Amino acid sequence: ITVNDFTGEWDTNCAGEFEEFNRILIVLPHKTNGFADLLVKETRAKKKSQPIGTECIESVIPETKQYTLKFEKDSYTIPKELQGGSE
């Protein structure tokens, strides 16, 4: 599971689009098949900057998600949304 990622494109002046996410893992007291369940908390921010007149204006869209991972058979099942880096 990637716990931090930052991607984006920028014109070196103002215009650009960026995305950053951070994830933390929390060990829960509940167990599945003898192993502790894991809580993944994710915060994500999509940022866009663009020139408007003589100013560079940035907008941010924040998002928060949570995932509970349970031990199934011989490993934790990882949702597709948590596999790899930026989607």
Side-chain angles (χ1 to χ4, degrees), residues 6-85:
F6 181 83
T7 60
E9 293 184 11
W10 182 47
D11 70 357
T12 70
N13 184 28
C14 172
E17 293 186 25
F18 308 92
E19 185 170 3
E20 179 178 18
F21 71 79
N22 294 289
R23 296 176 180 142
I24 60 170
L25 293 153
I26 300 167
V27 178
L28 298 173
H30 183 265
K31 293 183 178 184
T32 301
N33 296 319
F35 289 84
D37 292 349
L38 303 175
L39 178 65
V40 179
K41 287 188 174 185
E42 174 185 271
T43 56
R44 184 177 293 267
K46 293 182 180 182
K47 301 176 184 179
K48 184 175 183 177
S49 59
Q50 59 188 10
I52 298 179
T54 58
E55 295 187 44
C56 186
I57 305 298
E58 183 179 90
S59 60
V60 179
I61 300 171
E63 187 177 4
T64 303
K65 293 183 180 180
Q66 292 189 152
Y67 304 87
T68 301
L69 310 182
K70 296 177 182 270
F71 194 84
E72 304 289 339
K73 296 181 184 175
D74 61 353
S75 65
Y76 285 93
T77 302
I78 309 296
K80 187 173 182 175
E81 299 87 2
L82 296 178
Q83 297 175 12

